[in-house]
Every structure is written in C-alpha cells, then in structure tokens.
C-alpha cells in the first residue's frame, strides 16, 4: 500500500452541506494537522442548488498552508438507470463531481432502499437488480467522464445485498468503465467500500483509486482505519 494514498482525503464535507458541522476553514486546518498533502472539499447538491458560486468564492478565499493542495467537488446522487445526476448547471471551478449511489437508480427515478427490498420480496430477481445498478453506474461514469465515484456500492447492504453478490463479470465491467472514463474511485472510510475484490479489479483495469473519509466534521479528516485494512498489501 502506498502511504502517499493516505496523505490525501478526497471527500470532506463542510457546513455548505446541511448534515455537516465543520467549516471549510476548520477542515483545512484539520488536514494540515494530519499532515495531508491533498484535500478535496465536497458538498451535497441537487438540481435546485444555488450556492455553488458562493462555495467556490469561499474556497478561493481560504488561507491554505504551504504543502496542501485544496481541490473542489460537489456530490450528486444518480437519479435513474440512464446515469443522470441530480445536479445543477455548474460554474467553472469545480474539479470533480462525486457520483453517489445515495438511492437506487430506478427506471424512472431514484428508489429508496425500502422500495427496492419490497420489490425483491415481490420477485425482482437479484441478478436483474445488480445488472440495473451496474448499468446505471457505468452510464453515469460515461455520461459525466473525468469525475469520481463516492462510496460506491454503499447502497447494496441497504437493499439486503452485498458486494459479493456482484460477481466477477459485473465487477470487471464497472472497473473497466472507471478506467476508460478517467473516473477516480474513492475507498471510503465511512462506508468501508469498495471491498477487496473490487479494488483488485480496479488495479487490473488501470483505474485510479483515492482515499476519502467522507467526513462531516473536521476531527475525522484524514483519519483512516477501514481504508488501511482494505488497502493492506495492495499496490494501487
């Protein structure tokens, strides 16, 4: 495992997200204290989000200690199987969109985990569920190339499935698409994903992996335990 990977945190939320408690300034200070060299500041958006210009101006106004590169991002959920994102028109200055599986991408819009579990109970075949999820992820990476997958496959345990259910063919397709679309794939501390088999597939496909805490308070910035375990013994 490259220690350089752990000197970056590519998914850190601030008070621009309604579920985070730390300011941009507090996150930068925490990154400096942890000895990070790369920090990606990220906040949640929806189609009607209007504060992105204000956010970018605030980032530009930060006093960043020497030795840290501060990057920007916005996190948006996948809406449907076509890969469309719940995202506003973005001004210049956002480095990466974080593509997130906050809900399950349905045929006509996002489905909550309870609805998916009910459909599985009613007969929706596991293979079809997994095919639809991977199709949506691949479509989103293709539709929005050059971005980043956030906590990918964190939706699976919420709907009663696991990454082990994906199978080698789906995993290989997903990893290949990430590589072909210049999509960064984060190893996420908060959700502990993606797992070992998926990380191996990303390596084999030549995709780029970054580390993230998905922190919502500054004390968690750059603090890795689950990520260290997932990356142990891997060259990525």
């Amino acid at each position: 495992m490259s220690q350089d990977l752990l000197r970056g945190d590519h998914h850190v939320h601030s008070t621009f997200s309604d579920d985070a408690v730390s300011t941009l300034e507090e996150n930068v200070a925490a990154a400096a204290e942890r000895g990070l060299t790369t920090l990606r500041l990220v906040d949640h958006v929806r189609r009607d989000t209007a504060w992105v210009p204000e956010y970018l101006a605030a980032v530009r106004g930060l006093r960043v200690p020497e030795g840290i590169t501060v990057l920007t991002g916005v996190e948006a959920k996948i809406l449907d199987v076509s890969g469309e994102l719940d995202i506003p028109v973005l001004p210049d200055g956002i480095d990466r969109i974080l593509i997130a599986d906050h809900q399950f991408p349905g045929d006509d819009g996002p489905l909550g985990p309870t609805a998916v579990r009910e459909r599985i109970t009613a007969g929706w075949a596991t293979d079809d569920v997994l095919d639809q999820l991977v199709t949506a992820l691949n479509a989103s990476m293709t539709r929005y190339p050059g971005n980043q997958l956030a906590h990918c496959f964190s939706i699976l345990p919420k709907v009663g499935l696991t990454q082990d259910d994906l199978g080698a063919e789906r995993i290989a397709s997903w990893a290949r698409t990430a590589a072909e679309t210049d999509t960064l794939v984060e190893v996420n501390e908060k959700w502990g994903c993606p797992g070992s088999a998926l990380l191996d597939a990303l390596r084999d496909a030549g995709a780029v992996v970054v580390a993230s805490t998905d922190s919502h308070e500054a004390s968690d910035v750059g603090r890795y335990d689950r990520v260290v375990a997932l990356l142990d013994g891997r060259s990525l």
Side-chain angles (χ1 to χ4, degrees), residues 11 13 17 42-49 51-52 73-80 83-90 94 96-103 105 110 136-137 140-141 144 147-152 154 186 214:
H11 188 162
H13 289 283
S17 293
V42 175
D43 283 298
H44 295 287
V45 294
R46 299 176 179 83
R47 283 176 169 169
D48 60 356
T49 296
W51 49 251
V52 176
V74 292
E75 183 177 5
K77 70 176 176 291
I78 305 172
L79 289 172
D80 56 36
E84 185 176 358
L85 294 179
D86 188 6
I87 196 165
V89 176
L90 296 175
I94 294 295
R96 301 251 178 181
I97 300 166
L98 273 66
I99 299 168
D101 57 351
H102 290 145
Q103 293 182 295
L137 287 164
S140 197
M141 288 188 279
Y144 304 91
N147 288 297
Q148 179 173 322
L149 289 182
H151 50 69
C152 197
S154 64
E186 66 178 41
D214 199 353

Side-chain angles (χ1 to χ4, degrees), residues 116-137:
V116 176
R117 289 195 301 271
E118 289 173 349
R119 293 187 184 196
I120 291 172
T121 299
W124 194 7
T126 297
D127 281 341
D128 293 338
V129 176
L130 295 169
D131 284 345
Q132 183 157 321
L133 176 60
V134 173
T135 295
L137 287 164

